[in-house]
């Protein structure tokens, strides 16, 4: 803009003082309008940035509230089975009363059901024979080489959540 103004005033054409004054006034007016537009745009940008920041903070709070709500839902679902396990632990360790394995299994099954409803999945079943897949399986014995596709038996079930392995299944090579 400044270069343009310099160019305009340095032109070799001869004009009268009135014409020059009129041009200067016109240019100053245009310059003032442009400055006002710039200030207005800067104000608009600042306003939009503040609005965006408030929106991001609002969404962050909503996300935190949703996460807390999901946690609360999960904890409500597992509260009863966990309190039963704690009671059975007390009976066994403090009062030295026998605890029935079937009672513990019922509680564990309830817990497993809750976690499955929340999206936890299990990789195989204990005793299942399958092909070795290093992304899902880990050898029980590190001294024995197992290659992809080798027959293995699952000794400890693996766990995944949202298609990501949390814990690999522990497997043993099937000797044929």
């Amino acid at each position: 803009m400044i270069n343009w103004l310099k160019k305009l005033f340095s032109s070799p054409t001869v004009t009268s003082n009135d014409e020059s004054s009129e041009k200067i006034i016109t240019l100053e007016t245009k310059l003032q309008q442009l400055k006002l537009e710039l200030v207005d745009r800067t104000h608009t940008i600042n306003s939009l940035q503040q609005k965006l920041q408030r929106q991001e903070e609002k969404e962050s709070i909503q996300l935190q509230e949703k996460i807390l709500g999901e946690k609360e839902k999960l904890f409500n679902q597992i509260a009863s089975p966990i309190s039963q396990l704690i009671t059975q632990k007390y009976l066994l360790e403090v009062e030295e009363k026998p605890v029935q394995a079937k009672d513990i299994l019922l509680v564990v099954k309830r817990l497993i059901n809750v976690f499955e409803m929340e999206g936890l999945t299990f990789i195989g079943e204990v005793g299942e024979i399958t092909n070795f897949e290093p992304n899902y399986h880990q050898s029980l014995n590190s001294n024995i080489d197992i290659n992809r596709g080798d027959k293995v038996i699952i000794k400890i079930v693996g766990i995944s959540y949202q298609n990501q392995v949390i814990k690999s299944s522990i497997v043993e090579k099937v000797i044929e």
Side-chain angles (χ1 to χ4, degrees):
M1 175 90 178
I2 293 175
N3 289 336
W4 178 74
L5 289 172
K6 284 181 182 177
K7 201 180 219 184
L8 184 66
F9 287 114
S10 65
S11 65
T13 57
V14 178
T15 58
S16 71
N17 275 345
D18 286 345
E19 286 179 21
S20 292
S21 295
E22 192 175 306
K23 274 187 174 179
I24 290 173
I25 291 171
T26 303
L27 291 173
E28 284 178 347
T29 303
K30 182 68 176 172
L31 179 63
Q32 196 65 19
Q33 287 174 345
L34 291 172
K35 283 181 179 179
L36 288 173
E37 282 180 32
L38 182 61
V39 167
D40 187 44
R41 286 186 183 164
T42 302
H43 177 70
T44 301
I45 289 170
N46 289 338
S47 175
L48 289 171
Q49 285 175 334
Q50 289 174 355
K51 186 176 180 180
L52 177 63
Q53 184 178 4
R54 285 191 303 270
Q55 182 66 28
E56 287 173 344
E57 289 170 357
K58 181 180 175 183
E59 287 176 7
S60 176
I61 290 169
Q62 288 174 338
L63 180 61
Q64 288 174 356
E65 288 172 352
K66 184 176 180 179
I67 290 170
L68 287 174
E70 291 296 318
K71 280 183 178 179
E72 185 177 338
K73 177 183 161 193
L74 177 64
F75 292 152
N76 282 331
Q77 291 173 332
I78 65 172
S80 181
I82 287 181
S83 74
Q84 290 173 353
L85 284 175
I86 292 169
T87 301
Q88 290 171 350
K89 176 184 176 282
Y90 173 81
L91 291 173
L92 184 64
E93 293 178 349
V94 177
E95 293 189 7
E96 297 181 358
K97 292 183 179 177
V99 176
Q100 298 292 319
K102 66 179 181 176
D103 293 337
I104 293 174
L105 284 176
L106 286 173
V107 175
V108 170
K109 284 179 183 178
R110 287 178 60 196
L111 281 173
I112 289 171
N113 286 338
V114 169
F115 289 121
E116 283 180 320
M117 287 188 308
E118 293 299 319
L120 204 65
T121 55
F122 300 99
I123 303 169
E125 294 181 22
V126 175
E128 176 185 350
I129 295 178
T130 186
N131 295 326
F132 183 75
E133 174 56 52
N135 295 330
Y136 299 107
H137 303 131
Q138 179 182 348
S139 177
L140 179 64
N141 186 345
S142 60
N143 296 331
I144 298 176
D145 287 334
I146 304 176
N147 298 311
R148 183 179 302 235
D150 288 351
K151 293 288 184 196
V152 293
I153 186 167
I154 297 177
K155 295 295 185 176
I156 300 175
V157 174
I159 299 172
S160 69
Y161 180 70
Q162 294 184 344
N163 296 322
Q164 285 197 341
V165 176
I166 297 171
K167 181 184 182 332
S168 297
S169 294
I170 306 298
V171 298
E172 196 172 62
K173 188 171 185 175
V174 174
I175 312 262
E176 296 177 28

